[in-house]
Each structure stands twice: as structure tokens, then as C-alpha cells.
Amino acid sequence: MASNNHFTNSRSNLSTNSDAADSVRNQQQQQPGVTFARRTSSGRYVNYSRDDLDSELGSVDFTNYTVHIPPTPDNQPMDPSISQKVEEQYVSSSLFTGGFNSVTRAHLMDKVIDSETSHPQMAGAKGSSCAIPGCDVKVMSDERGQDLLPCECDFKICRDCFVDAVKTGGGMCPGCKEPYRNTDLTDLAENSKGTQQQQRPMLPPPSGGGGSKMERRLSLMKSTKSGLMRSQTGDFDHNRWLFETSGTYGYGNAFWTKDGDFGSDKDGNGGGHGMGPQDLMSRPWRPLTRKLQIPAAVISPYRLLIFIRIVVLALFLMWRIKHQNQDAIWLWGMSVVCELWFAFSWLLDQLPKLCPINRATDLNVLKEKFETPSPSNPTGKSDLPGLDMFVSTADPEKEPPLVTSNTILSILAADYPVEKLACYVSDDGGALLTFEAMAEAASFANIWVPFCRKHNIEPRNPDSYFSLKRDPYKNKVKADFVKDRRRVKREYDEFKVRINGLPDSIRRRSDAYHAREEIKAMKEQRQNREDEIVEPVKIPKATWMADGTHWPGTWINSGPDHSRSDHAGIIQVMLKPPSDEPLHGVSEGFLDLTDVDIRLPLLVYVSREKRPGYDHNKKAGAMNALVRASAIMSNGPFILNLDCDHYIYNSQALREGMCFMMDRGGDRLCYVQFPQRFEGIDPSDRYANHNTVFFDVNMRALDGLMGPVYVGTGCLFRRIALYGFDPPRSKEHSPGFCSCCFGRKKKKSRVSEENKSLRMSGGGDDSDDDEEMSLSLVPKKFGNSTFLIDSIPVAEFQGRPLADHPAVQNGRPPGALTIPRELLDASTVAEAIAVISCWYEDKTEWGSRIGWIYGSVTEDVVTGYRMHNRGWKSVYCVTKRDAFRGTAPINLTDRLHQVLRWATGSVEIFFSRNNAFLASPKMKILQRIAYLNVGIYPFTSIFLIVYCFLPALSLFSGQFIVQTLNVTFLIYLLIISITLCLLALLEIKWSGISLEEWWRNEQFWLIGGTSAHLAAVIQGLLKVVAGIEISFTLTSKSGGDDVDDEFADLYVVKWTSLMIPPITIMMVNLIAIAVGFSRTIYSVIPQWSKLIGGVFFSFWVLAHLYPFAKGLMGRRGKTPTIVYVWSGLVAITISLLWVAINPPAGSTQIGGSFTFP
């Protein structure tokens, strides 16, 4: 890939954590300076900056050079594989902190939590200490956590002491004084496996010697002309084959050569198990996904009805404009304006629904292509790409740690290759409570994850699983399931007790350490001042970790450098990367895990740095920090983000999403959006919390265009799409709406099509040409981290579909991703600390073009819009079993504030450069209409509120929106209503929702439109016009006493100003109905037609507001009867007063001509 070379040559040298080898290689590009380094016993370079040297050196100008200690008999590097594993164990047990104007530190933690950890991947895992006096370093251990003891006397010795004993002590054991039989650490590690399965031989290092970590990672991008060559170990040599530089896409690419001799050696003898295209075509190529078209018997009438309703609406509006109501021209004018807007709004909502589709995946084909032994993958190891999971949380008070822990456990137990999965948790609050809850979850995962794998548990969220109301023993065939479940349930109950007790535990621990520090300070003060009066010593009350040190994040009692908006960046590897080969458990303990893989995915705690004076951009900024940190540490080509309250309900959902990305044409997909499903909703779904009309109707319809919008969670991203690159094979567009008349001659691209995988439009969304990104602009766009820049082409290559068919363009060779991932080292984590610092995004394009986009409270919609605007496509993945499940607010006030936030974001989008009016020509017209509707729908609230008052005004005035209820008006009204009902029925038919769900959505559309949407429009207009920020907050709270009721929060009444418009509409319409009846009854000539018209529309408004009225009443049976009595009396009194003040025409007294019989 040519782009790889471009990115490699454009590395920025500003990163403080780059290797010394990079400094030597790029010394001509650096500014004059001094770089000192020494080579450690593990073979690595340690850099020393000028600040670390004597001050006299700083006054002399030096040229670039590197000083290191050459290898000597006393300074021999140990085996790299062993040293890397030892360093990785050190990294996983260290808490890394750093940030702006501060040194990156690695704090080695003896323990992360108070309880004991047993899993060998767990941070702070217990291990034996070295028995050499004065050395407390942990002894070497294998991947199971067992001690590696080189002598038969089982004398415990660490790696460094063992090396010293071999080199300087004559190879004698310090314990038994006998010579070591084996002094090779590599053989020692292999011999320790005993009867375990042999470890897969490591691939030989790439040619070219050492180099930096990123060079070794990028070695998979290097290739020779050798095709499918076998290494001496008998394993497939990926480092020598991955790229065929002379290949072209299609027939004759990297997958097979033009002469068809695939895998022959240099002499053409076929020593490489040659395979030609005919071998691949011997069996039919099977796609991973397929489209399921809506039956013509449903979709054809649906489209016909849309066309009929458009015509009828046009004729009706023309008729309304021509036939004015001269008796009440003001009433007619308001109604016509509202009806014109409603017709326009309905068109914006309905036109994108013309092409709905369904999709299906085939997991069997995925397994066959990526996890089945083949000539290109003899061992059958997983060839699936890496996947980084993001979980975001900000406040442990509002987002309980137990909920976040269950989400993490569901991710760790997901059915995806363990070595390809990584989980990153963003704690934007920097709370020790979240940190220790994560550590507890990692410890409990040692039991929960193998249990799920052994018995195929669904769902893999322990809280949801143990709360299931169905029979848990159904379809369980293993005899020990009951015993295992009972024991795991008991362990989970203890786990919940520990999580719920963490706040008190942290507070008590901090109080105890604080008291100790005060006593210590007072003793020192007394010793220094023997005769003086000792004053009380004031020490900042810190928050203490389990190992007796200060927590570097937010303290319970905030202090300088330890508050929510001012703390250092923190990274802790809770679970280090798993081994490359499966690690089966043993039958010891309470679970028999003999044939169960007990490895756990990589788990990392991340809390980005926050400092005063910086705009941290809330969730979007936290997600971008995770994107950069994950690119440094694991660099999975795909990213799936979840809110902390959304967990994996279907353990195979990740595989289903990967089917779309790995299918033919999948390289042009920016993301796969899963529907949001919710738990804990009341059975009637009073406030349309399930939102099924949006997720099952609108999103399926958008899937037939360029794809669904991004809704914030449950979305599988392609990493390079988040980086702001254009999709591969993107067509060149001539900008302008009249390019057919004034089209310009297209410039011939300087880059061949196969090298266009990493292209970024140079001039933004409206640039004239999609030219390759300038090399000098790479650091300015992505920042100065060389690790991050070097990881981009790797992620692009690993995210390509499998080139298993000539029609697959921009593919990668089969078996390319079966090599093990790089082990973590301290420099890698230190670089990750640098990229999550508060200053890293300064003068870069993070948040403006790259990553999650800033500037809106609905950053999700804007981020998806930017990708579609560059020509990417997305798909909607609806699985048979819900992929993810989460929670939603069932309280009326909380629901209104949720809708207010969404609507406010839409108004911000409308008044920003992300308005669909400014979309690029790459976006289809119907997709543009859909995004236009996203920004316009809150403005419907203005016309909706006016229309809700029209029935009341009609009843008060005795007039109606039309002169008379003639046949023409009624026929139009009937046709419009019937077509609306038929469209709803057909939507229910092809989407699978129920009629009740459709009606609940209609009801809450009016509730939200008359409350939250109006407030969002007012807030957006004041912000744009006057720059005034307004927030609608809760003013008072009152709750029920029934704690046992699952839906108790549904009946809690919390007053908010958002309730004022709907309450006013209800009261005015109720009074208007009473006034209308009174006026008609007491009139000399009753106008029943006008009364019926006004009352009909008033009941239409009240029927939609019925759930809102129930929410105001609180719990059933708790509303006193006197409330209803007084409400009726007040309505009757007001109506009689109205008739008395304004009696009907022709009457001179109260009551008119009406008399009782």
C-alpha cells in the first residue's frame, strides 16, 4: 500500500515517547539537540533528555548523536520474547499518570482492590516474591500465573537475580548451592508448561534488525515477491507475503498472481503449495449478508398511498386557500399556515421511507471463511480483525458502578476471539469508585466468563441473567450446570455486596489514612517545636487507593489537581492482553473448566486529563481520547461504543456486525448501527420509551438509502472512517447544482486506484478534488504522536474484507491477521498517556473533522452526517435476538428532559454548517431530506401549539376554520385520514411493530412537540441570536413510598417548566368544550355543525395528551376524588361566566331562550 509509505515518511518527531531508534533514523529531520540513551538488559533503549543532564551541557551547542552502552559479557540482552512478557506484566500492574506540563509516571501497585485477585491477567495479581535478601521483585510466572522456578529445590528467584546468578555467580542456585541444569529462560518457560499443549512457534522477526515498536507492528505491511512461502517452522510466513507490490485489484492482485501460479517458489516448483483461481472457484462463493426485500404486495400499495396522499394534500391545501372564512379570517389564516407546515413536515418524514429493506447475516459462512483451517490458514486460527469496545461513564452517582460493571462483564464474555477483543472504559469523572468497581469486575470475570463459555449463557450480563423470569435450566445439557449456576450466583451476590460497599469502604480507608497523616504531621511538628504551642495541622483530605497511595484522579473532597475538571490523565491495564493460544482451565476449584478457554480480553481503564481553561467537549471529547489511546495500545480496525447502561444481550452480535464489514463492498461501510432496545419499561409504554417507530420504521427505511443515522450507542465503526478519510473507490464529483451546464474538466488523479484507500479531501466537504492528503499536514491533522500516525495504515489494511473472490476489491489476503499482537510495553502506555492529555487536540482537526464532532449536544448525529457527507455508507443490523439492551427513563419529567436534549441538538444542527442544505453532492437526495428533517422537526412545535389552541379558539368564538362544514371539506378530511391510517397499517406490516406502539408514538409526538421541542427552539434561537444560554432544570421533587414496585418511578411527579404548555392546552380545551356546549344549548339558533367540528378537534388534542394527564395524576388510586369534583365545578363555573359575559346573539339575558321542561 503506497499510502503506508507516505504516512511512514511523514511522522512527526515531536512525540516524547518515540523510541531512540526513531531518533537515529530521523536525526536529519529533527531540530538540533542532544539525545542520550542507554541500552537496558532487555535490549531496549532508555532516552535521557537534555533536562536530565548537567546544566553545563545545556550551554554548548551539540549535533544530534546517541550514546548507549554497548553489549558486553556483563550486559547481554535477554531473549526478547521473555523480556517483553516480563515488561508486559510490569505494565499491567502499574498505574500510569501524566499530562500537561507533568512527567508521565508508572506507579507499580501491589494491589488494586482490597480483595485478593487470582487471575494471572488481572492487574495486581498475587505472585511470589524473590527470596534473595533485599529484593522484593515478583518471580517470573507463566500465562497461568504459576511461578517459574529454575531449580529443583524450588528456590524463588526473580528474572534479574536469576540472570545475575547465571552470569556472575557461576550458574549456582542461591538456595541449594547446586548448579542450574537449565540457564536458558526461553527453555525454562517452555519446560514449565509440562503436559500442557505446546506453544505455537513465533514467527521470525522481519528483516532489517531492530527498530521501534511501530516498525515491528508495521512489518506486516512489508512483503516480498515470494507468494505463499512456508517458513522453516512449518507455519505460514505472513511477514514475507502479506503484500504483493505488483498486484492489482481484481484478478492478479495480492491474492493470486496473473500467471495463476499462486504460492510457487522462486524456481516455479510449487514448493509453496500453489493454489490458483480455479481452486477457489471449485466451490461457490457465499456472501456473508443478503438483502431481504419487502414483499411487493406490501411495498407497492405503500408507495402508491404516499403518492395519493401527496396529491390529495396538494388539492386540499389549494381548496383551503381559495375558500376563505370571511367570518373569522384570523382563524382561517392560522389554520392554513399550520396545515401548510404540517404537509411540508410530513413530506420530509415520509419521502425517505420509500425504500425500506431488511438484512440478514450468515454466521456459518463467517466461521467458515475466518476460523476454518485452509491452505492460507493451516492452523484454523481466527482471521477476524481486532475490535475495540468503548464504554463511557462520567458520574458514579448518576450512573451506578454496578450497572457499568455488568456492562463490562457482558463485553468480556462476548463470543468473539479473545485475543482480538479489547475493552476500554472512559471514566470522565476520574472517580476512584469507578476505578475500583472496574477492578472488582475484572476479578469476578475470572469466574463469570468461563461459566458463560462453558454453558453458553445468554444474556451474559450477570444481573440480567440471574433476574430472568424464565426457566434457567431449559436447554442446558451438562450435568454440572445446576451446581455451577448456584455457586456463580453466590459469588455474584458477594460481588454486588462488594460493589455497593465500595463508597463506604473508600471513605473509611481515606479517613483512616488521613488520620494517620495528621498524627504523623503533629509528631513532626512537636519534634521541631519542643517548647512552642502546637497548633492543629491542616492537611488536605485526600482519597486513598487500596495500596496506601493518593488517588491521582478526583478526590471525594475536591482539591487542587484532584477535582472533576482538574486532574491528571490515568491509564490502568486491568487485564493484560491474553496469550495467543487458548488457555484451558483445570478441574480444581468449584468449577470444572477442563475444556474451557479461561483467557480474558484486554481491559483498560482510561480517565483523560482535565485542566481549567480547556474545553473538554463532554462525551465527544472523551470518545476521541479513547480513539487515540486504543490506536496506540491495540489499534483494532473496528470500534464499537456502548453507553454504560447498555450491555450485550446477544453474545454473537459482534460477529453479526462484522459480517457486514467483511462482506464484499464492506470496505465502503463507515458503521453498522444496531437498534436500541430497552428494559424496565412499563408494560403500556406510556411515554413511548421503546421508540419502536423510529428504530423499526425510520431506520429500516434509511437502510435502503445511504444508511441509518448514528444514534450514539450500539454502533460498530470503521476506525479510518472516524479518522476523516474518504471511502475507497470514491467517485469524483463536480460541485454545483448546474454542473451539467458548467461542468469542469476532471483532473486526472495522480494516484492509482489501488493506492486510494487512505485519502482525505483537502478542502473540506466542498473541496473540488479528492486529492491525497499532503504529507506535511498529517501531524497537523492528527497530532504529533508518531505511534498514532503509524497505526493508521495498519488499521486500514486490517479492516479490509477478505480477498477470496476476484470481485472483491481492496481486499486483504486470507490468513493475514492470524499473527499474534504486539505485547504491551511501558513506552506504549506512556504514549497513550500523552495522547489523552488536555493539550493534544490543540491546533489539530480532532473534533472538527476527525473523530466525534464537537459543537452539538447530539454529537452522534453530526458524526454520522459527516461520514455520509464524504460518501460513506452505513447499514442497519437487526438481529433475531436483540443485540444490546439498556435502560430508559420512564418518569415523565426525565423523559421530557431527554427529548429536550435531543431537540436542542437538532436546533443546533439546523443553525450550523452541518445543515443538510449544505451537504456535498456525494449525499443522495433522499438521505439529504432525512438529515434535513432531523434539523427541522423541532420547529414543528410552533405550529403544533397554535393548532392545539385552534379548537378552543373556535369554541370560544363560535366560529370554525371553514365557513361551513360542507361536503368537499369532509371528503378531503376523510381521504386524508383514511390514507394516514392505511399508511400506518402498512408500516406496521413491513416493520413488525404493533398498532399500540404506533399510537403511543403519535401521542408522545404531540406531548413532546408542545413541551420539549418548543423549549429547544426557544433555547436555540436565544443562543444563536442573543448568545444567551438557558437550561431547563427540575424545580421540585416528590416521590412515592412504594419501593418494591418495579415501576415506582413512573408515578413520581417532578415539576418542571416544560409541563406548562401541555397543561395550558388541556385546561383551555376542556373549558372550551364546556363553553361551546353552553353556548350552543343557550343559543336561539344552535350552530351544531361548528360545535361538532370544534369538539372533535378538541378531543383529538386531549386524546393525544392523555398519557401526559396520567403522569400528572401520579400513582393510581392516590389522586383524591375531590380533585375531579372540583375540576368539574371549576369548568362549569367558568363556562357559565363566559356565557353571562358574552351571551349568544339574539339573547338579552343569561340562558337565552333555553328553559327547563
Side-chain angles (χ1 to χ4, degrees):
M1 186 171 73
S3 299
N4 172 32
N5 298 328
H6 296 319
F7 276 91
T8 304
N9 295 332
S10 64
R11 295 178 184 175
S12 170
N13 296 288
L14 300 176
S15 177
T16 58
N17 298 305
S18 58
D19 294 338
D22 290 332
S23 301
V24 177
R25 187 179 59 257
N26 297 326
Q27 54 183 316
Q28 296 180 354
Q29 303 177 11
Q30 293 178 344
Q31 300 295 329
V34 182
T35 303
F36 288 89
R38 72 175 180 86
R39 196 175 186 182
T40 63
S41 60
S42 63
R44 294 189 174 275
Y45 289 94
V46 178
N47 291 350
Y48 293 97
S49 65
R50 179 179 294 178
D51 298 334
D52 297 329
L53 303 176
D54 294 336
S55 59
E56 59 187 23
L57 290 177
S59 60
V60 184
D61 292 333
F62 291 89
T63 58
N64 288 333
Y65 62 92
T66 300
V67 180
H68 66 87
I69 303 174
T72 62
D74 295 334
N75 181 33
Q76 291 290 335
M78 66 181 299
D79 189 288
S81 62
I82 300 297
S83 63
Q84 290 176 6
K85 291 181 179 179
V86 172
E87 185 171 0
E88 184 177 59
Q89 184 67 39
Y90 164 78
V91 168
S92 65
S93 298
S94 300
L95 181 74
F96 285 77
T97 61
F100 182 65
N101 287 336
S102 60
V103 180
T104 300
R105 293 183 173 86
H107 171 64
L108 187 62
M109 303 183 67
D110 293 332
K111 61 178 181 178
V112 180
I113 51 178
D114 292 325
S115 56
E116 184 174 351
T117 58
S118 57
H119 198 278
Q121 291 179 235
M122 174 72 181
K126 298 297 181 181
S128 303
S129 299
C130 180
I132 298 295
C135 180
D136 58 352
V137 179
K138 302 296 181 183
V139 302
M140 296 177 292
S141 61
D142 59 11
E143 54 193 11
R144 292 180 180 271
Q146 302 296 326
D147 294 341
L148 293 179
L149 305 178
C151 185
E152 295 180 352
C153 69
D154 292 341
F155 182 80
K156 297 181 179 180
I157 189 171
C158 66
R159 176 188 61 85
D160 293 333
C161 293
F162 174 72
V163 173
D164 292 341
V166 172
K167 294 179 180 179
T168 61
M172 305 292 291
C173 173
C176 63
K177 307 301 180 183
E178 295 291 332
Y180 286 117
R181 294 187 178 183
N182 189 355
T183 59
D184 190 349
L185 286 175
T186 306
D187 297 338
L188 178 64
E190 292 179 355
N191 294 337
S192 68
K193 291 183 178 292
T195 59
Q196 301 175 16
Q197 60 182 8
Q198 290 186 347
Q199 188 179 18
R200 181 187 177 192
M202 300 292 292
L203 291 173
S207 59
S212 66
K213 178 182 178 65
M214 285 307 304
E215 279 188 321
R216 294 193 301 274
R217 184 180 299 174
L218 280 170
S219 64
L220 80 154
M221 309 297 293
K222 302 176 181 178
S223 66
T224 63
K225 307 279 186 177
S226 58
L228 260 174
M229 183 173 289
R230 297 268 176 173
S231 61
Q232 295 180 356
T233 60
D235 283 337
F236 184 69
D237 196 345
H238 300 280
N239 288 320
R240 303 182 60 183
W241 174 74
L242 267 179
F243 267 119
E244 289 290 338
T245 55
S246 61
T248 57
Y249 292 118
Y251 186 78
N253 65 351
F255 190 68
W256 53 66
T257 57
K258 292 182 179 180
D259 57 4
D261 191 10
F262 184 67
S264 60
D265 56 16
K266 293 182 179 179
D267 300 329
N269 298 324
H273 297 269
M275 179 175 60
Q278 63 276 4
D279 298 323
L280 293 170
M281 301 304 294
S282 60
R283 54 181 180 179
W285 182 82
R286 300 169 61 190
L288 293 170
T289 64
R290 64 184 187 276
K291 290 183 181 180
L292 303 178
Q293 300 293 342
I294 306 296
V298 177
I299 195 63
S300 297
Y302 181 74
R303 292 170 178 167
L304 179 62
L305 281 173
I306 292 177
F307 176 75
I308 292 174
R309 196 165 194 266
I310 291 175
V311 173
V312 172
L313 278 175
L315 295 175
F316 171 71
L317 292 174
M318 291 173 60
W319 182 88
R320 289 278 285 122
I321 293 173
K322 290 180 180 179
H323 296 77
Q324 301 179 5
N325 185 359
Q326 299 297 336
D327 296 336
I329 194 69
W330 57 274
L331 195 61
W332 169 87
M334 287 192 298
S335 63
V336 169
V337 171
C338 293
E339 288 162 3
L340 285 170
W341 179 267
F342 292 151
F344 172 69
S345 178
W346 177 82
L347 274 177
L348 292 181
D349 181 67
Q350 198 66 44
L351 287 178
K353 297 180 183 178
L354 289 173
C355 307
I357 61 170
N358 292 319
R359 300 181 185 269
T361 59
D362 195 333
L363 295 180
N364 294 326
V365 177
L366 185 75
K367 185 175 181 62
E368 177 184 327
K369 289 187 176 185
F370 291 90
E371 297 179 327
T372 303
S374 63
S376 59
N377 184 12
T379 60
K381 288 194 60 179
S382 177
D383 197 23
L384 289 171
L387 177 59
D388 293 340
M389 304 282 295
F390 292 173
V391 179
S392 57
T393 181
D395 189 352
E397 299 296 330
K398 298 179 181 179
E399 300 164 334
L402 183 60
V403 175
T404 306
S405 300
N406 278 283
T407 299
I408 295 171
L409 289 169
S410 71
I411 293 174
L412 299 179
D415 185 9
Y416 199 78
V418 184
E419 66 276 10
K420 303 295 181 71
L421 190 63
C423 178
Y424 294 83
V425 180
S426 170
D427 179 18
D428 223 26
L432 180 60
L433 176 58
T434 305
F435 177 84
E436 296 200 359
M438 267 193 64
E440 290 285 358
S443 179
F444 179 69
N446 186 32
I447 303 171
W448 173 249
V449 174
F451 170 71
C452 292
R453 292 173 181 165
K454 178 180 179 181
H455 298 289
N456 195 23
I457 298 299
E458 292 287 354
R460 301 192 175 182
N461 175 331
D463 189 69
S464 298
Y465 171 70
F466 290 120
S467 301
L468 289 176
K469 295 181 173 57
R470 59 177 173 83
D471 184 10
Y473 310 112
K474 186 178 181 180
N475 300 327
K476 301 301 178 186
V477 296
K478 294 191 176 181
D480 57 350
F481 171 71
V482 176
K483 177 178 67 69
D484 289 352
R485 184 182 185 276
R486 188 179 297 116
R487 182 58 186 268
V488 174
K489 177 65 167 60
R490 186 160 55 248
E491 292 290 335
Y492 177 67
D493 291 338
E494 296 177 0
F495 166 75
K496 287 198 298 184
V497 171
R498 292 196 301 271
I499 292 289
N500 294 329
L502 278 178
D504 292 336
S505 175
I506 294 173
R507 191 175 292 107
R508 288 196 303 268
R509 180 202 309 152
S510 299
D511 291 343
Y513 279 115
H514 180 69
R516 186 194 66 178
E517 292 296 313
E518 285 186 337
I519 295 174
K520 182 178 179 181
M522 290 183 63
K523 288 182 178 179
E524 293 179 356
Q525 191 178 27
R526 288 173 180 173
Q527 293 176 358
N528 297 333
R529 304 179 180 180
E530 298 179 354
D531 300 332
E532 298 180 7
I533 300 176
V534 179
E535 298 179 356
V537 181
K538 293 184 179 180
I539 298 178
K541 194 171 184 180
T543 300
W544 294 76
M545 294 189 289
D547 65 339
T549 58
H550 284 180
W551 168 242
T554 303
W555 289 351
I556 298 176
N557 299 307
S558 299
D561 296 333
H562 295 284
S563 63
R564 288 180 56 87
S565 59
D566 184 14
H567 63 79
I570 308 170
I571 291 181
Q572 170 72 62
V573 180
M574 291 291 182
L575 292 172
K576 69 177 183 179
S579 58
D580 188 46
E581 293 293 333
L583 182 64
H584 296 298
V586 295
S587 59
E588 299 177 359
F590 60 88
L591 291 180
D592 184 5
L593 305 175
T594 305
D595 297 324
V596 181
D597 189 0
I598 63 172
R599 294 177 300 165
L600 299 177
L602 172 67
L603 177 62
V604 183
Y605 171 89
V606 179
S607 181
R608 58 178 173 146
E609 183 191 19
K610 287 188 174 182
R611 297 300 179 193
Y614 285 87
D615 186 0
H616 302 293
N617 296 296
K618 300 178 182 179
K619 180 182 176 182
M623 298 305 292
N624 284 339
L626 284 187
V627 171
R628 297 190 296 271
S630 63
I632 301 297
M633 300 182 68
S634 58
N635 197 29
F638 297 100
I639 294 171
L640 194 148
N641 76 296
L642 292 174
D643 290 341
C644 64
D645 60 341
H646 276 70
Y647 67 92
I648 299 179
Y649 188 74
N650 180 359
S651 62
Q652 293 192 329
L654 308 183
R655 292 178 176 269
E656 297 211 28
M658 205 59 68
C659 285
F660 293 100
M661 292 294 191
M662 293 291 101
D663 205 6
R664 182 171 60 183
D667 58 331
R668 291 181 56 82
L669 296 181
C670 55
Y671 60 82
V672 177
Q673 178 65 61
F674 294 87
Q676 292 186 20
R677 307 300 187 198
F678 303 101
E679 295 178 334
I681 307 298
D682 55 298
S684 63
D685 193 14
R686 179 186 295 177
Y687 306 123
N689 290 99
H690 285 299
N691 213 359
T692 51
V693 172
F694 174 77
F695 287 112
D696 291 328
V697 178
N698 297 69
M699 298 287 272
R700 288 176 192 263
L702 290 175
D703 198 15
L705 305 177
M706 293 184 67
V709 298
Y710 168 43
V711 294
T713 183
C715 189
L716 177 65
F717 282 99
R718 184 177 298 275
R719 184 181 285 271
I720 63 165
L722 279 172
Y723 286 160
F725 291 103
D726 296 335
R729 306 182 305 280
S730 59
K731 298 179 182 179
E732 296 186 7
H733 295 263
S734 297
F737 64 92
C738 53
S739 57
C740 57
C741 302
F742 303 98
R744 296 181 306 165
K745 185 178 179 180
K746 295 181 180 179
K747 296 180 181 179
K748 186 176 180 180
S749 178
R750 296 172 301 169
V751 188
S752 61
E753 187 63 33
E754 64 181 288
N755 295 332
K756 291 183 180 180
S757 300
L758 288 177
R759 296 198 318 170
M760 183 179 291
S761 301
D765 296 332
D766 297 328
S767 65
D768 295 339
D769 297 299
D770 293 337
E771 295 297 338
E772 194 175 10
M773 183 170 53
S774 175
L775 304 182
S776 61
L777 296 179
V778 174
K780 295 180 180 179
K781 291 177 180 291
F782 292 92
N784 57 16
S785 172
T786 58
F787 277 39
L788 176 61
I789 296 173
D790 291 341
S791 70
I792 295 174
V794 179
E796 188 278 328
F797 172 76
Q798 294 181 351
R800 294 180 180 181
L802 208 61
D804 58 347
H805 192 272
V808 177
Q809 300 185 38
N810 194 36
R812 62 172 173 83
L817 302 184
T818 57
I819 59 176
R821 71 165 67 182
E822 286 283 346
L823 299 177
L824 282 178
D825 55 17
S827 63
T828 301
V829 185
E831 184 76 8
I833 284 287
V835 299
I836 66 170
S837 61
C838 60
W839 53 265
Y840 186 84
E841 294 183 355
D842 289 352
K843 298 181 181 179
T844 67
E845 293 191 359
W846 285 97
S848 60
R849 180 191 177 93
I850 301 172
W852 270 258
I853 306 301
Y854 302 153
S856 175
V857 294
T858 52
E859 72 286 334
D860 44 6
V861 178
V862 177
T863 302
Y865 166 79
R866 289 291 187 89
M867 296 181 186
H868 285 140
N869 208 25
R870 289 193 292 267
W872 289 95
K873 294 183 178 180
S874 60
V875 298
Y876 196 51
C877 181
V878 182
T879 57
K880 292 183 179 179
R881 177 184 176 88
D882 293 345
F884 310 101
R885 283 193 177 181
T887 58
I890 62 175
N891 180 263
L892 174 60
T893 305
D894 296 336
R895 175 74 165 133
L896 289 178
H897 278 82
Q898 182 188 54
V899 175
L900 171 63
R901 186 177 66 84
W902 295 343
T904 303
S906 296
V907 175
E908 292 175 347
I909 291 173
F910 182 80
F911 288 111
S912 70
R913 61 187 299 265
N914 299 309
N915 192 313
F917 281 120
L918 307 176
S920 71
K922 297 179 182 180
M923 184 176 291
K924 294 181 179 180
I925 182 63
L926 291 182
Q927 188 81 16
R928 188 178 304 199
I929 291 175
Y931 274 112
L932 186 61
N933 186 43
V934 170
I936 283 181
Y937 82 89
F939 294 94
T940 305
S941 61
I942 300 174
F943 304 91
L944 186 60
I945 285 188
V946 173
Y947 212 72
C948 287
F949 279 112
L950 284 182
L953 295 175
S954 175
L955 291 171
F956 281 133
S957 64
Q959 301 295 330
F960 195 51
I961 58 176
V962 293
Q963 190 80 28
T964 57
L965 289 177
N966 54 17
V967 177
T968 305
F969 175 78
L970 293 177
I971 289 177
Y972 275 127
L973 189 62
L974 182 62
I975 295 175
I976 291 173
S977 301
I978 290 177
T979 53
L980 178 64
C981 294
L982 291 177
L983 282 173
L985 292 176
L986 289 175
E987 283 184 359
I988 290 171
K989 182 70 175 178
W990 61 254
S991 65
I993 65 174
S994 65
L995 182 61
E996 183 183 6
E997 290 172 333
W998 179 87
W999 172 238
R1000 287 285 184 240
N1001 181 79
E1002 290 294 309
Q1003 288 179 312
F1004 197 78
W1005 169 76
L1006 192 140
I1007 295 172
T1010 55
S1011 57
H1013 294 177
L1014 179 65
V1017 172
I1018 297 173
Q1019 183 175 353
L1021 289 175
L1022 288 175
K1023 181 178 180 181
V1024 172
V1025 177
I1028 300 175
E1029 294 280 353
I1030 297 179
S1031 60
F1032 298 87
T1033 56
L1034 304 180
T1035 55
S1036 64
K1037 297 182 180 179
S1038 62
D1041 301 327
D1042 191 357
V1043 183
D1044 299 329
D1045 191 350
E1046 181 182 359
F1047 309 113
D1049 198 35
L1050 179 68
Y1051 312 111
V1052 177
V1053 180
K1054 307 174 187 177
W1055 174 253
T1056 174
S1057 56
L1058 297 177
M1059 295 180 177
I1060 295 176
I1063 291 176
T1064 305
I1065 291 173
M1066 284 194 305
M1067 293 180 62
V1068 170
N1069 276 275
L1070 286 172
I1071 294 173
I1073 291 174
V1075 169
F1077 270 110
S1078 302
R1079 177 185 295 279
T1080 304
I1081 291 175
Y1082 295 140
S1083 296
V1084 178
I1085 304 176
Q1087 299 290 330
W1088 292 104
S1089 61
K1090 295 182 179 180
L1091 173 67
I1092 292 173
V1095 170
F1096 173 79
F1097 284 107
S1098 289
F1099 272 116
W1100 177 86
V1101 173
L1102 294 174
H1104 282 75
L1105 290 175
Y1106 175 70
F1108 179 82
K1110 289 188 66 176
L1112 294 180
M1113 295 177 186
R1115 181 175 297 278
R1116 296 182 296 268
K1118 292 271 181 102
T1119 305
T1121 307
I1122 192 65
V1123 173
Y1124 301 104
V1125 174
W1126 278 105
S1127 299
L1129 291 175
V1130 169
I1132 294 173
T1133 304
I1134 293 176
S1135 63
L1136 291 175
L1137 286 174
W1138 181 272
V1139 174
I1141 295 171
N1142 185 18
S1147 299
T1148 57
Q1149 58 181 354
I1150 297 177
S1153 60
F1154 177 79
T1155 57
F1156 287 99

